[in-house]
Amino acid sequence: MKIIVCENYDGMSRRAYEEIKKVMTETGGECVLGLATGSTPLGLYKCMAADCEAGKISYEKTRTVNLDEYVGLPAANEQSYRRFMRDNLFDKIDILEENTRFPDGNAEDLAAECERYDELLEKTPRDIQVLGIGSNGHIAFNEPGTPFDGRTRVVELKESTIKDNSRFFASEEEVPRRAISMGIRDILQSKKILVLASGGNKAEAVRAMCRGEITERCPASALQRHGDVTVIVDAEAGAELC
Ligand code: PGA
């Protein structure tokens, strides 16, 4: 694992963008980016949008796959992850909408949808996967206790996650109780993995991910088994790494 501690959130975002730019340059933009939602990658997405708006980079040939989606929220709902990605990145870069993929949280047959997404992931190997990390060590919606060989599946959200995510909804009752999430095995299939973390509430999870025992109690510790992981954190999130 390569670990980079930056001074602050902006530095973390700019350094993360360097990693994305490297992949984009090496592939001439013809690559698959695995993308994540959440507050952490917003600065990275701003950097991507700014360079694209300035004509310095193009995503016309790029494909993306996202980690997860809520079950039961219409795609246009402000809190759906598809809408999040549209508002914070896709509408600001020249990517083609048909090249952006999500699990369909409104599919009639959710089990079949999980299988479809896994097949899609097999056919579209990611060049780099962007990840945030939960304060409990989760990656995507893979909460502590998730087997490392898990594939895409429907997950019941933990009370703590419902509480965390309620900040984006009018009330806790409105937070969906289920989501479709890539599994840890799917995440590990990406050629490169880029983990971002910011803030003191992530410091212990970052330590456990990088230096702790490899255990299902900390889903992110599975990343120690991958050969090409770059962890970029701000000073607060990296405080326990010494
Ligand atoms: P955050 O979420 O970026 O909003 O902190 C990260 C996560 O829970 O995976």
Side-chain angles (χ1 to χ4, degrees), residues 9 36-42 67-68 81 84 131-141 143 161 164-165 167-168 196-198 201-202:
Y9 179 80
T37 50
S39 336
T40 313
L42 283 174
L67 287 171
D68 41 25
Y81 286 164
F84 176 99
L131 288 179
I133 177 172
S135 54
N136 64 0
H138 74 211
I139 44 177
F141 277 117
E143 300 285 0
T161 303
D164 278 356
N165 292 6
R167 68 188 195 273
F168 300 111
L196 308 183
S198 163
N201 63 325
K202 302 287 175 76

Side-chain angles (χ1 to χ4, degrees), residues 124-171:
T124 42
R126 281 138 289 151
D127 292 281
I128 188 164
Q129 174 68 59
V130 177
L131 288 179
I133 177 172
S135 54
N136 64 0
H138 74 211
I139 44 177
F141 277 117
N142 297 292
E143 300 285 0
T146 306
F148 287 170
D149 60 357
R151 312 291 304 266
T152 302
R153 69 204 185 291
V154 176
V155 290
E156 301 284 335
L157 270 52
K158 288 240 189 289
E159 266 316 305
S160 56
T161 303
I162 292 170
K163 271 207 169 62
D164 278 356
N165 292 6
S166 66
R167 68 188 195 273
F168 300 111
F169 290 82
S171 70

Side-chain angles (χ1 to χ4, degrees), residues 11 22 24 48 50 76 103 105 120 129 182 200 207 221 224 228-229:
K22 224 184 282 171
M24 290 292 292
M48 291 168 73
L120 173 93
Q129 174 68 59
M182 260 190 220
R207 188 207 59 77
S221 68
Q224 291 181 35
D228 193 349
V229 177

Side-chain angles (χ1 to χ4, degrees), residues 9-110:
Y9 179 80
D10 285 347
M12 176 202 79
S13 302
R14 282 196 302 272
R15 188 61 189 77
Y17 180 49
E18 293 301 314
E19 297 298 315
I20 297 290
K21 235 184 344 192
K22 224 184 282 171
V23 173
M24 290 292 292
T25 307
E26 278 166 14
T27 60
E30 217 165 318
C31 58
V32 181
L33 306 178
L35 298 179
T37 50
S39 336
T40 313
L42 283 174
L44 162 65
Y45 296 159
K46 278 203 177 111
C47 295
M48 291 168 73
D51 258 11
C52 190
E53 276 164 8
K56 292 185 191 159
I57 199 162
S58 169
Y59 295 88
E60 265 181 347
K61 295 184 201 151
T62 308
R63 287 175 293 159
T64 65
V65 287
N66 260 75
L67 287 171
D68 41 25
E69 181 58 282
Y70 286 121
V71 167
L73 276 187
N77 183 294
E78 275 188 18
Q79 302 310 332
S80 78
Y81 286 164
R82 181 181 283 278
R83 175 74 186 269
F84 176 99
M85 290 306 301
R86 207 180 279 167
D87 290 351
N88 291 295
L89 183 65
F90 298 154
D91 278 356
K92 300 175 178 173
I93 60 175
D94 58 350
I95 197 159
L96 303 175
E97 192 181 354
E98 65 264 32
N99 287 343
T100 66
R101 300 304 184 89
F102 293 79
D104 179 1
N106 290 302
E108 245 168 60
D109 183 342
L110 291 172

